[in-house]
Amino acid sequence: MKVFISSTYDDLIDYRTAAIRAVEGTNYQAGKMEVFGARSEEPVKACLKEVEECEIFFGIYALRYGFVPDGSDISITEMEYLHAKEKGKTIYCFILDEENQPWLKKWIEEGEGKAKLEQFKKLVQKKHTRDTFTTPDDLRAKVANALSHFVANPDNDASGVGPHCPLPKPTGNSLPREGFFVGREAERKIIAAALSPESRTWGALIDGPGGIGKTALAIKAAHEAPEGLFERKIFISAKVRELTSDGEKPLTDFTRPTYLAMLDELGKELGEENLERLAPDERPNVLRLALAGKKALIVFDNLETLPEEERTRLFQFLSRLPDGNKAIVTSRRRTDVDARIVRLDRLSRDEAMELIAELAKKYPKLARASEKEREDLYGMTQGNPLLIRWITGQLGREGSQCRTIADACAFIERAPKGNDPLEYIFGDLLETFTENETLVLAALTYFTSPAKLKWLAQMTDLPERAAETALEDLTDRAILISDLEGRTFYLPPLAAHFIKTRRSEAVSQTGDALVNRVYALAMQYGGDTNREGFQMLDAEWAYIFAALPRLLTGDNDRLQTVSNRLFRFLDFTGKWDEAIWFFEQAEECALAANDKGNAGWRAYQAGWMYNLCNQSADVLACAARSAEHLKENTPRNKAIAIRLQGLGCHLNKDYPAAISAFQEVLEIRRSISPDSLDVSIALNDLAIVEKANKDYVDAERDYREALRIPKVIDFQEGIATITRNLADIALDLKQWEKAESLAREALPLAEKVGRQELIASVCHRIAKALLKQNKNLEEAITFARRAVDIFTRLRSPDDLAEAQDTLAEIEKAMSGDE
């Protein structure tokens, strides 16, 4: 159905917007002058044509008469009204309340225009019952109420005078039928307690994010309420649209989108058919008296549709319900009311799986989905029932190209207008966000885990208290998942995606602040030797990780600098998977900027992490890329690609090739600086392969030579690493006491350096040496468990398997001792 909105323009822009929102919020189509510029017709013809195509005409009049076209005596605004009257349209008129609403002088017409306006208003007031308005919100509510009146009285004219048929007094209940329902046992118990005669509240308020199942829970709880408590069960909804797998559908015939419309509907349910003929301010008390002596359970659904003032009035009405009457209310907006608050969160995993299993009975493609695919669906939707139903519905929708759950989840990002679940759930909230709320929401889009308040304050440039207030308000409106005590906040992925697309400017602003802060952290606390700084980076890792995707899309020089500053930190703390992803992306960015030197180093750094994960094929692939990028670079840089080649060959147990590569690296580095740390590293690499090849004499010789250099410069990481490696030779040669002594010598240095892989490997060697000596097994098992814990966290499968074997042997030995 089409509604035409007629008014002057410049003076009423905000009011027109409010009226348009009221119309389109009920899924009617608004005809308006804002679109006329795209037409070929003259403005007057375009306006009158739109009037002819509408069913309802809204006239909004303030203190300007409006534009009078050449050759006419009256304005376009008056032409529109007269044309609507001539065509028999239903007409509602709203006139500015001049006594209670100040008006800018520049929008007050004088002279001939003022006289014509007065004459026009008299005509309108003579022919039609009209209402006055003050603010845009006041007009929006009154337009919505007029639409509700029209829907409820389609045969009446706008004055409310028309045929009247007495309504029969209703009995029983008007609750919707129960559909499939799963879980929510705890919430149902809370509501049942709130509805009992012993409860001193008027009932229960169910709040939660859009699509979480508030209406379904209210209907379920109302059906479960004992018949002996309530003679009548009444359902009234302000919901104006619903989402199906085929798209949004208007609920024109069933919605009551204003406070007064809801009261009028309640009056009809109770047999008070004359209620809406009373003045608006008389209806609540008349209805309250009509409820006296009755036992009615009233469900008021979807109150977030109402303006705040109307919600307040409805809650005031509920607080005065006579004894014996109770209510259940649903709303996205949490309110301090005299009712039991039921905070509805996502379905549990088991509840969601039960819902998916039920939907699979309807959709064969869903029935074929694996357990992992169903788990992925739960993760993507965060247990939101509406999103689960919509996504699975795409598998059964006629004409859908979605064949799997993954296809249906991906379809969200390109969902067409009118069938966008994110727009349905979050769209009407956008205009309600304050500037501070928009900023903190934009900042949260960068995080895949709960974010600390201090991070969000830094990104938004807000004082912490201001940021916290905004976050608390968003939590109250069920948009965030929050730990208010821990001061951490999380925006679910689909909500984050929606904010990114609809508030991109704020997202960009907060993203720039995030990158700037993380750059500063990397410069201050990163590097090769800043071990104490690594603790700060580790504490801020979730913050740093959130910035990396944006860093990858920004300035290449800054990106490569951060990569270098974070390399040793990521190595030491075992964040190898994250490092591989980041360095390979940074490598591509360097190539795109024709920065081959940094591309070579990023390939090397990714290869080093693959080496720690024992992935030989990936190490060799990185080595080949690094060599290609650095083929025209300095000898020192070329040597890193050769070293990576040697590491890959070692993992493949191609020891001759590995020895050859490391000898080439050693020769290059000795030619540059014979006593450098680079030479020590090359000797250590060579000795590791010699030891693996059982060339123990050569291996120990090269280890001892490698150890000399870091001892001279007091490079503790090098000392700890090579000392551990000497312990390996002792273990191979079954020199258990020597192995124990060397490993114990390496442990305090490894702990001081903080490199997790090194600490774990040293602990493993101590445990193994003690086991072989069959001594201090209680101490041995402590070291073995520590090694297993660290290797588990590092996701290092080969090292973990060896440590687990040692632990099992110690446990067996201890069991034998007993």
Side-chain angles (χ1 to χ4, degrees):
M1 183 170 66
K2 197 168 187 179
V3 178
F4 187 82
I5 298 174
S6 173
S7 75
T8 51
Y9 184 75
D10 290 339
D11 56 328
L12 291 171
I13 290 176
D14 291 342
Y15 290 83
R16 290 182 61 82
T17 299
I20 291 166
R21 285 183 60 198
V23 171
E24 295 181 343
T26 56
N27 277 325
Y28 292 154
Q29 181 182 354
K32 54 208 177 196
M33 70 176 69
E34 284 83 347
V35 301
F36 295 165
R39 303 190 180 188
S40 59
E41 304 109 308
E42 295 177 6
V44 173
K45 289 182 179 179
C47 290
L48 300 184
K49 183 178 179 181
E50 283 284 330
V51 171
E52 290 177 12
E53 293 174 355
C54 77
E55 190 168 349
I56 305 175
F57 178 94
F58 283 142
I60 303 169
Y61 309 119
L63 298 177
R64 287 185 66 237
Y65 181 58
F67 175 67
V68 178
D70 292 340
S72 175
D73 293 328
I74 61 175
S75 67
I76 293 179
T77 305
E78 186 169 355
M79 288 183 197
E80 291 169 346
Y81 164 77
L82 293 174
H83 199 61
K85 189 170 180 295
E86 177 187 342
K87 296 297 181 181
K89 306 298 180 182
T90 300
I91 297 175
Y92 292 89
C93 295
F94 303 90
I95 296 179
L96 177 68
D97 184 349
E98 299 179 40
E99 294 185 3
N100 295 299
Q101 182 64 24
W103 210 248
L104 291 178
K105 186 175 181 180
K106 68 176 181 177
W107 299 131
I108 300 176
E109 193 162 355
E110 300 292 347
E112 185 180 358
K114 180 178 181 179
K116 288 187 175 183
L117 176 62
E118 293 300 326
Q119 185 178 356
F120 175 45
K121 285 182 178 179
K122 287 179 182 179
L123 173 64
V124 168
Q125 294 177 75
K126 180 179 178 181
K127 297 293 184 179
H128 305 279
T129 300
R130 50 97 184 125
D131 203 349
T132 58
F133 65 89
T134 53
T135 65
D137 281 344
D138 179 53
L139 177 63
R140 176 179 177 271
K142 288 175 177 176
V143 168
N145 195 45
L147 284 171
S148 179
H149 175 276
F150 178 84
V151 171
N153 304 274
D155 296 326
N156 291 3
D157 65 21
S159 68
V161 179
H164 171 70
C165 298
L167 297 173
K169 188 172 183 178
T171 59
N173 76 64
S174 61
L175 297 177
R177 287 177 298 177
E178 289 188 83
F180 175 78
F181 192 89
V182 59
R184 309 296 198 190
E185 284 83 4
E187 292 86 352
R188 285 151 63 186
K189 288 179 181 178
I190 294 172
I191 297 171
L195 299 182
S196 70
E198 293 76 22
S199 173
R200 295 183 177 276
T201 68
W202 53 253
L205 169 63
I206 306 171
D207 81 2
I212 208 67
K214 300 182 293 295
T215 300
L217 175 59
I219 294 170
K220 180 70 174 177
H223 277 290
E224 290 179 336
E227 297 295 337
L229 283 181
F230 302 107
E231 298 171 353
R232 295 276 292 127
K233 294 180 179 180
I234 300 166
F235 181 84
I236 301 171
S237 181
K239 186 179 293 186
V240 298
R241 54 202 169 102
E242 64 180 355
L243 183 69
T244 71
S245 58
D246 293 319
E248 290 186 24
K249 306 296 181 185
L251 295 173
T252 303
D253 296 334
F254 307 103
T255 184
R256 297 296 176 262
T258 67
Y259 165 63
L260 289 177
M262 297 184 101
L263 292 190
D264 291 345
E265 184 69 12
L266 179 58
K268 292 176 183 177
E269 291 276 0
L270 297 172
E272 297 291 328
E273 65 269 18
N274 292 319
L275 184 71
E276 66 180 34
R277 296 178 178 274
L278 300 175
D281 58 353
E282 295 178 7
R283 297 178 204 176
N285 198 49
V286 170
L287 192 56
R288 184 181 65 83
L289 295 174
L291 284 165
K294 291 185 172 63
K295 295 180 178 179
L297 173 59
I298 311 161
V299 179
F300 284 123
D301 179 49
N302 224 69
L303 290 202
E304 67 267 18
T305 302
L306 306 184
E308 183 176 357
E309 179 186 353
E310 295 197 5
R311 286 197 305 276
T312 300
R313 293 177 67 189
L314 185 59
F315 286 128
Q316 289 172 345
F317 172 77
L318 292 175
S319 69
R320 291 163 175 78
L321 283 179
D323 285 345
N325 298 279
K326 293 281 187 176
I328 302 174
V329 171
T330 73
S331 177
R332 295 187 195 181
R333 298 172 185 267
R334 191 173 303 176
T335 308
D336 184 16
V337 295
D338 183 22
R340 289 296 302 273
I341 307 296
V342 180
R343 177 71 170 86
L344 204 57
D345 286 316
R346 64 181 182 172
L347 293 174
S348 70
R349 177 201 169 278
D350 290 344
E351 290 169 347
M353 291 301 131
E354 192 175 341
L355 172 59
I356 293 168
E358 179 67 20
L359 293 169
K361 297 175 184 178
K362 181 179 179 183
Y363 304 124
K365 292 174 186 174
L366 178 60
R368 295 192 290 270
S370 67
E371 187 68 20
K372 182 178 185 307
E373 288 177 306
R374 297 183 186 205
E375 294 280 359
D376 290 344
L377 174 60
Y378 178 64
M380 168 66 77
T381 61
Q382 291 288 296
N384 183 299
L386 178 67
L387 287 172
I388 291 174
R389 289 180 181 275
W390 185 89
I391 289 173
T392 57
Q394 301 311 305
L395 300 180
R397 180 171 58 83
E398 185 177 353
S400 172
Q401 300 300 309
C402 298
R403 297 290 180 267
T404 65
I405 287 176
D407 292 341
C409 289
F411 181 62
I412 287 181
E413 296 189 8
R414 58 180 192 279
K417 185 176 182 180
N419 192 17
D420 183 347
L422 302 184
E423 179 69 35
Y424 177 84
I425 292 173
F426 303 114
D428 63 334
L429 296 174
L430 278 178
E431 301 304 324
T432 70
F433 297 147
T434 65
E435 182 178 353
N436 287 358
E437 288 170 351
T438 299
L439 285 172
V440 295
L441 282 171
L444 281 166
T445 63
Y446 289 93
F447 294 91
T448 56
S449 59
K452 297 178 183 178
L453 171 63
K454 70 171 186 176
W455 298 343
L456 303 173
Q458 289 168 355
M459 292 171 67
T460 56
D461 198 27
L462 292 172
E464 277 200 13
R465 184 61 196 130
E468 188 172 28
T469 298
L471 291 160
E472 287 173 349
D473 288 345
L474 291 167
T475 301
D476 285 344
R477 287 145 73 186
I479 296 167
L480 306 182
I481 298 172
S482 307
D483 177 0
L484 297 178
E485 185 175 343
R487 304 177 94 191
T488 62
F489 304 87
Y490 177 66
L491 183 64
L494 291 177
H497 171 74
F498 183 74
I499 295 297
K500 285 179 183 178
T501 59
R502 298 297 298 273
R503 291 294 181 264
S504 57
E505 185 175 338
V507 171
S508 179
Q509 175 185 337
T510 54
D512 288 344
L514 170 64
V515 167
N516 290 338
R517 174 59 180 160
V518 166
Y519 178 78
L521 285 172
M523 296 304 294
Q524 183 174 359
Y525 299 109
D528 288 342
T529 59
N530 190 2
R531 306 294 183 258
E532 293 182 0
F534 289 178
Q535 296 178 11
M536 172 63 76
L537 296 179
D538 206 27
E540 300 289 278
W541 173 241
Y543 189 46
I544 295 166
F545 187 72
L548 300 187
R550 191 166 181 84
L551 262 170
L552 289 165
T553 63
D555 178 70
N556 179 65
D557 289 342
R558 173 177 275 204
L559 168 63
Q560 305 306 328
T561 299
V562 171
S563 299
N564 278 323
R565 299 293 292 180
L566 292 181
F567 169 65
R568 193 59 63 188
F569 159 71
L570 295 171
D571 174 10
F572 273 44
T573 55
K575 296 176 174 58
W576 302 336
D577 290 342
E578 297 95 325
I580 289 168
W581 165 79
F582 180 52
F583 291 139
E584 289 190 327
Q585 295 293 315
E587 177 191 351
E588 292 184 12
C589 293
L591 285 177
N594 198 30
D595 181 4
K596 292 185 178 180
N598 275 313
W601 274 99
R602 298 297 84 77
Y604 167 77
Q605 290 170 342
W608 173 252
M609 301 299 173
Y610 278 125
N611 172 63
L612 295 173
C613 297
N614 296 316
Q615 296 175 227
S616 60
D618 294 304
V619 174
L620 292 171
C622 288
R625 297 203 309 271
S626 183
E628 175 63 24
H629 302 332
L630 297 171
K631 63 184 180 183
E632 297 178 2
N633 216 292
T634 64
R636 180 179 185 272
N637 285 347
K638 289 179 182 179
I640 66 168
I642 301 170
R643 183 194 184 207
L644 206 54
Q645 179 76 20
L647 294 172
C649 291
H650 175 211
L651 290 175
N652 278 341
K653 299 184 179 179
D654 184 355
Y655 300 136
I659 289 173
S660 175
F662 290 140
Q663 286 176 336
E664 184 179 356
V665 172
L666 180 59
E667 182 178 349
I668 293 172
R669 290 179 174 178
R670 275 178 167 163
S671 70
I672 297 171
S673 177
D675 289 324
S676 68
L677 194 57
D678 281 349
V679 170
S680 175
I681 293 170
L683 284 165
N684 183 65
D685 289 339
L686 180 59
I688 289 173
V689 182
E690 290 168 338
K691 179 258 181 189
N693 203 33
K694 302 189 184 304
D695 298 332
Y696 295 116
V697 174
D698 289 346
E700 182 161 2
R701 180 199 66 220
D702 288 334
Y703 276 142
R704 295 292 180 187
E705 175 63 16
L707 184 59
R708 179 185 62 81
I709 297 172
K711 281 188 172 182
V712 169
I713 62 176
D714 194 28
F715 180 55
Q716 294 184 350
E717 181 190 351
I719 297 170
T721 300
I722 299 169
T723 304
R724 174 204 61 185
N725 293 345
L726 285 166
D728 279 343
I729 291 180
L731 286 172
D732 276 12
L733 297 175
K734 300 182 180 180
Q735 299 169 348
W736 312 125
E737 290 185 8
K738 182 178 180 181
E740 178 192 349
S741 175
L742 287 166
R744 286 187 184 277
E745 182 183 340
L747 183 59
L749 294 175
E751 289 177 326
K752 186 174 181 180
V753 169
R755 182 172 174 179
Q756 295 300 299
E757 175 269 336
L758 182 58
I759 294 170
S761 63
V762 171
C763 286
H764 179 213
R765 283 149 180 78
I766 296 174
K768 192 169 183 178
L770 290 171
L771 170 66
K772 294 302 182 181
Q773 297 174 78
N774 196 28
K775 75 172 189 180
N776 299 339
L777 294 183
E778 290 287 351
E779 184 184 20
I781 201 169
T782 300
F783 281 116
R785 285 171 175 164
R786 186 179 182 192
V788 168
D789 287 344
I790 295 175
F791 283 136
T792 299
R793 189 169 68 251
L794 296 179
R795 298 185 294 280
S796 182
D798 293 343
D799 292 327
L800 175 60
E802 291 181 13
Q804 287 173 329
D805 288 344
T806 300
L807 177 60
E809 287 186 55
I810 296 171
E811 290 172 338
K812 183 178 179 181
M814 293 178 70
S815 175
D817 287 344
E818 293 173 1

